[in-house]
Amino acid sequence: MGFRNFRFQIVVRVLLLVATVFVFFKIGFNATLVSTQIFVGLLISGQTVALIVFMERTTNRLIKFLNTIKYDDFTEVFTSRGEGEKFDELYKSYNEVIKKFKDIRSEKEATTHYFQAVVQHIGIGILTFKKSGEVQLMNNAAKCLLQVPRLEQIEHLRAVSPQLVEQLLTLPAGQSAVLKLPHGKERVPVSLYAVDLVLRGEDFRLVSIQNIQRELEDKEMEAWQNLIRVLTHEIMNSVTPIASLAGSVAADVQDYLEAQPGTQICLEREETEDMGLALQTIEKRSQGLVRFVNDFRSLARVPTPKKQLFSVEEMLKQLQLLFQEEVAHENILFIVNCRPASLTVLADRELLEQVLINLVRNAIHALADQPNKTLQLEAFQDEDSRTVLQVSDNGTGISEEAQEQIFLPFYTTKPTGSGIGLSLSKQIMRLHKGSLSVSSELSKGTTFTLRF
């Protein structure tokens, strides 16, 4: 039992070494005892080496344990070598720690395999790569969209689409882009969305690639259906009364022809006036239908913006001067505010003024029945440093149902409106890569927001 105790072995070895050294010096350097001195010296050396080896054996096992963790080699098992109860406990703890690490690694591998299976089976293409362009992961959907069985470097995709490579490398994080990829003899529209990640101190980029052809076709079909519905409604509204009135006049003329079979027909003044009024009404409605068609043509022919950098405050002051007489006549408080005064925007000034004039005029109409009329035109920068222009009024407001359709071509809430202005304004903002939105509450007012 004694030599199974590590502490006891150390004490015994040290005492034996001390006793041997004492004997060595006790003998002294007597010439007659040279052999004995050599023997005792060798014994001291042997005991010292044995003590060092005994101590290093424990250290080596600790180093072996740490290397096991360092290199993820969890096949090692530490067994007792009769070094005492404390070492038995130590080796047991070693084995428990190794088992814990082994379980964690198994769980991690299982989780990794699970997520890899999920990523490989989803319908959206997933592509991850380092900033250097080295590809880390590409799922089956991405391989199908890009038509590449494997990929090591993003640059290798230049053979597929140079534009795709540029978007993958330069697309700002959190933003999306749409482009077309060759797919057989066709070109398929895809949407890219990029996210930048940092993993263990190294930068990665994750890009999702989604085929949006079906979505675009659905949206296109929906747009065509809405357009056909609006066109049909507007044309029928004009053609139906024209046809009815023309039929009525034709019936009257036929009655006169049958009642007076001679070469001359006599009409009373009142009857002639009625027929003339009917023909004038037909002409007026026909002209309205022509104007409607011309409005539709103008909606489809928005010019390409000629962008230039200009002062927003100067433009707003000119608009304020333009509407000065009209707002004064309507007793409207017209507030113009630009912050900062040096705010500029890169846009086609004429087209932007056209949008703002349309919105201000709509606001003036919305204020017609209000007792205290306020119209505000302001410009500022939002939290993303984007230029924002807003046209606000405290008029009658717009219902939620109307807000959903207000930008549709030919949709209008005004009895005399053409329904072209807001649709044209939204199209102009889209050509500027911007947006036009509306927020409104009934009886409280409306705000149109232009964001560049």
Side-chain angles (χ1 to χ4, degrees):
M1 177 67 182
F3 282 96
R4 291 178 61 83
N5 188 294
F6 176 77
R7 207 177 310 168
F8 180 77
Q9 290 190 52
I10 293 294
V11 171
V12 170
R13 289 174 182 273
V14 171
L15 289 177
L16 288 175
L17 180 59
V18 171
T20 307
V21 172
F22 177 77
V23 170
F24 179 81
F25 285 102
K26 186 70 175 177
I27 294 174
F29 297 96
N30 193 332
T32 59
L33 299 175
V34 173
S35 301
T36 304
Q37 287 179 331
I38 293 174
F39 174 75
V40 174
L42 293 174
L43 185 60
I44 292 172
S45 299
Q47 288 178 327
T48 303
V49 171
L51 179 59
I52 293 172
V53 170
F54 180 75
M55 294 296 296
E56 287 184 346
R57 185 171 60 184
T58 303
T59 306
N60 288 337
R61 303 205 80 183
L62 177 59
I63 293 173
K64 189 175 182 180
F65 167 72
L66 296 177
N67 285 335
T68 296
I69 297 175
K70 178 180 179 180
Y71 298 109
D72 290 341
D73 181 16
F74 301 129
T75 59
E76 185 68 35
V77 177
F78 293 88
T79 57
S80 174
R81 297 184 177 181
E83 296 165 313
E85 183 179 348
K86 294 295 181 181
F87 277 90
D88 290 345
E89 293 178 3
L90 178 62
Y91 296 151
K92 181 180 178 182
S93 298
Y94 282 176
N95 292 328
E96 289 176 352
V97 171
I98 290 174
K99 184 178 182 302
K100 185 66 175 179
F101 273 104
K102 189 175 181 179
D103 292 342
I104 292 173
R105 187 176 70 174
S106 299
E107 183 178 353
K108 180 181 177 182
E109 289 177 350
T111 303
T112 302
H113 290 154
Y114 170 76
F115 283 111
Q116 284 180 345
V118 171
V119 168
Q120 292 297 334
H121 283 82
I122 60 177
I124 299 176
I126 300 294
L127 185 65
T128 61
F129 55 92
K130 298 180 180 179
K131 289 296 183 180
S132 61
E134 181 183 350
V135 176
Q136 299 296 305
L137 172 67
M138 182 172 66
N139 68 348
N140 293 328
K143 293 177 183 178
C144 181
L145 282 172
L146 302 177
Q147 292 188 306
V148 289
R150 58 193 300 272
L151 185 64
E152 296 179 354
Q153 278 287 338
I154 292 296
E155 287 294 330
H156 296 166
L157 288 174
R158 287 197 181 275
V160 177
S161 170
Q163 184 184 5
L164 172 63
V165 176
E166 295 300 324
Q167 290 289 358
L168 290 175
L169 296 176
T170 62
L171 182 65
Q175 295 188 20
S176 59
V178 177
L179 53 86
K180 289 189 175 182
L181 295 179
H183 198 275
K185 296 182 179 180
E186 302 178 352
R187 294 180 64 83
V188 177
V190 298
S191 172
L192 306 180
Y193 184 82
V195 176
D196 288 338
L197 307 171
V198 178
L199 183 61
R200 295 179 180 178
E202 190 170 7
D203 293 332
F204 286 84
R205 166 158 282 205
L206 185 150
V207 180
S208 64
I209 309 173
Q210 185 175 6
N211 186 340
I212 57 173
Q213 184 169 7
R214 181 179 295 275
E215 287 77 5
L216 290 179
E217 289 175 352
D218 290 343
K219 289 295 183 182
E220 183 179 3
M221 180 60 68
E222 182 181 353
W224 275 111
Q225 290 174 348
N226 287 332
L227 180 59
I228 292 171
R229 176 175 56 82
V230 172
L231 287 174
T232 303
H233 176 74
E234 292 296 330
I235 292 174
M236 288 301 296
N237 282 347
S238 295
V239 171
T240 300
I242 290 175
S244 176
L245 194 55
S248 177
V249 172
D252 290 342
V253 171
Q254 184 65 32
D255 290 340
Y256 290 130
L257 291 174
E258 292 177 355
Q260 303 179 41
T263 56
Q264 294 184 348
I265 299 176
C266 297
L267 296 178
E268 296 183 2
R269 182 177 183 85
E270 182 179 355
E271 294 172 340
T272 305
E273 289 176 350
D274 289 343
M275 293 182 66
L277 181 60
L279 292 174
Q280 289 177 1
T281 303
I282 292 173
E283 179 188 18
K284 185 177 179 180
R285 291 308 305 155
S286 299
Q287 290 176 348
L289 185 58
V290 171
R291 283 196 302 271
F292 169 79
V293 174
N294 285 332
D295 286 340
F296 176 75
R297 291 174 62 187
S298 67
L299 182 64
R301 295 179 180 178
V302 180
T304 303
K306 299 177 181 178
K307 298 181 182 180
Q308 59 180 354
L309 198 64
F310 60 88
S311 170
V312 176
E313 185 180 43
E314 179 186 351
M315 180 186 65
L316 297 187
K317 286 183 177 179
Q318 290 186 2
L319 289 174
Q320 186 178 28
L321 183 62
L322 178 65
F323 286 97
Q324 182 176 346
E325 294 296 330
E326 189 171 354
V327 296
H329 181 267
E330 297 292 336
N331 295 320
I332 298 174
L333 176 61
F334 192 11
I335 301 172
V336 175
N337 183 24
C338 179
R339 57 184 192 277
S342 59
L343 184 64
T344 59
V345 65
L346 182 64
D348 187 317
R349 180 164 177 167
E350 293 183 359
L351 291 179
L352 182 55
E353 286 179 346
Q354 181 179 346
V355 172
L356 291 174
I357 288 172
N358 181 50
L359 295 178
V360 171
R361 197 168 296 283
N362 286 348
I364 292 174
H365 292 161
L367 291 168
D369 300 326
Q370 296 298 106
N372 299 316
K373 305 175 182 180
T374 302
L375 171 59
Q376 187 165 352
L377 178 58
E378 59 179 337
F380 56 91
Q381 284 189 326
D382 63 10
E383 59 276 5
D384 297 325
S385 299
R386 298 177 65 183
T387 301
V388 178
L389 287 82
Q390 288 186 331
V391 180
S392 305
D393 64 71
N394 63 339
T396 54
I398 305 171
S399 66
E400 291 187 8
E401 181 182 357
Q403 289 181 53
E404 295 178 358
Q405 305 180 64
I406 199 169
F407 294 112
L408 290 176
F410 311 111
Y411 179 87
T412 180
T413 58
K414 295 184 292 185
T416 59
S418 65
I420 293 295
L422 287 177
S423 179
L424 186 62
S425 298
K426 193 172 185 71
Q427 190 169 346
I428 289 173
M429 288 303 297
R430 283 178 176 171
L431 291 174
H432 280 84
K433 307 299 182 184
S435 64
L436 173 61
S437 59
V438 61
S439 61
S440 182
E441 290 186 45
L442 290 176
S443 304
K444 291 187 178 180
T446 303
T447 298
F448 283 92
T449 301
L450 291 77
R451 197 178 304 273
F452 290 88

